[in-house]
């Protein structure tokens, strides 16, 4: 299998779906994958377009928080970087520094919750210690809804270490609702793998 290159662009709130779809429509890019009509469409929007052979752009939005990311990926690193750059001209994106600082700088829980999800959406397949530390800090936030968002954000991660975070929340969180959410997510992850 050929190596895949990927660039993630976290969108400035609100989501930016209209901007992304305007660009893909104007470019007459073929929609090659969607979750429309699937069970997952109740909590997220997922679309993938093919602007060129071997080059794709995905849009992923968490509907609860309206946190969203564009993912440019393909076989040619230069093409992927060019697509990401072109999209960032038309769609407002956050810098990595803004994404990382988001949960710590948000003044109230209603701002921290989507900020936590944006951190998870910024995460690529390879483990990223800096992003994981931000999520781990959110798992200790004074507000139980923020801690619950940290638990749910693991659904967007492919890191085995995120299961350790869920286990900690499931066994040690002071709020029963957060513990139960983490247990349910663990059951989904561990039960789904068998």
């Amino acid at each position: 299998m050929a190596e895949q290159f990927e660039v993630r662009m976290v969108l400035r709130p609100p989501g930016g779906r209209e901007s992304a779809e305007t660009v893909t429509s104007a470019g007459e890019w073929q929609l090659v994958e969607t979750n429309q009509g699937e069970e997952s469409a109740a909590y997220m929007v997922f679309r993938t377009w093919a602007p060129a052979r071997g080059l794709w752009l995905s849009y992923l939005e968490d509907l609860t928080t309206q946190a969203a990311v564009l993912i440019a990926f393909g076989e040619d690193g230069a093409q992927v970087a060019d697509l990401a750059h072109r999209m960032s001209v038309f769609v407002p994106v956050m810098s990595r520094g803004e994404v990382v600082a988001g949960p710590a700088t948000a003044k109230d829980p209603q701002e921290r919750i989507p900020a936590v999800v944006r951190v998870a959406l910024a995460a690529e397949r390879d483990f990223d210690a800096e992003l994981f530390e931000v999520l781990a800090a959110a798992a200790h936030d004074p507000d139980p809804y923020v801690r619950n968002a940290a638990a749910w954000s693991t659904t967007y991660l492919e890191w085995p270490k995120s299961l350790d975070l869920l286990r900690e929340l499931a066994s040690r969180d002071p709020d029963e609702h957060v513990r139960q959410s983490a247990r349910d997510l663990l059951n989904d992850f561990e039960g789904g793998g068998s």
Side-chain angles (χ1 to χ4, degrees):
M1 180 177 188
E3 181 179 6
Q4 288 283 316
F5 297 90
E6 177 180 298
V7 175
R8 288 184 174 238
M9 299 156 281
V10 176
L11 302 183
R12 286 196 182 283
R17 185 181 335 161
E18 295 80 20
S19 298
E21 289 181 344
T22 297
V23 172
T24 61
S25 177
E28 298 181 353
W29 297 351
Q30 179 185 1
L31 180 66
V32 294
E33 186 176 3
T34 179
N35 72 332
Q36 191 170 9
E38 295 178 9
E39 188 176 318
S40 64
Y43 59 89
M44 78 170 160
V45 173
F46 181 76
R47 308 277 185 273
T48 300
W49 297 271
R53 184 180 174 151
L55 183 64
W56 298 273
L57 180 74
S58 290
Y59 175 85
L60 174 63
E61 179 182 348
D62 178 276
L63 289 174
T64 304
T65 62
Q66 296 184 320
V69 65
L70 284 173
I71 307 164
F73 63 101
E75 300 163 359
D76 183 308
Q79 279 187 322
V80 169
D82 181 60
L83 175 60
H85 173 72
R86 286 186 288 135
M87 290 306 297
S88 70
V89 169
F90 296 105
V91 181
V93 299
M94 299 176 74
S95 71
R96 179 179 170 95
E98 290 172 310
V99 172
V100 169
T105 60
K107 297 187 188 318
D108 67 55
Q110 293 304 312
E111 294 173 0
R112 287 194 304 275
I113 291 167
V116 168
V117 175
R118 282 192 286 274
V119 170
L121 292 176
E124 297 183 6
R125 286 189 175 101
D126 293 336
F127 181 73
D128 184 317
E130 181 181 32
L131 294 181
F132 186 78
E133 286 301 316
V134 174
L135 295 173
H140 293 95
D141 191 275
D143 188 278
Y145 291 103
V146 176
R147 296 192 309 271
N148 196 51
W152 279 94
S153 72
T154 62
T155 62
Y156 296 110
L157 302 174
E158 296 184 28
W159 306 330
K161 196 165 180 150
S162 63
L163 294 177
D164 295 338
L165 183 66
L166 277 177
R167 287 183 190 101
E168 179 183 336
L169 287 166
S171 65
R172 295 192 184 108
D173 194 88
D175 185 273
E176 174 54 32
H177 176 72
V178 175
R179 287 193 308 272
Q180 187 60 52
S181 288
R183 284 193 294 266
D184 291 345
L185 288 163
L186 274 172
N187 287 338
D188 289 346
F189 283 127
E190 293 171 342
S194 52

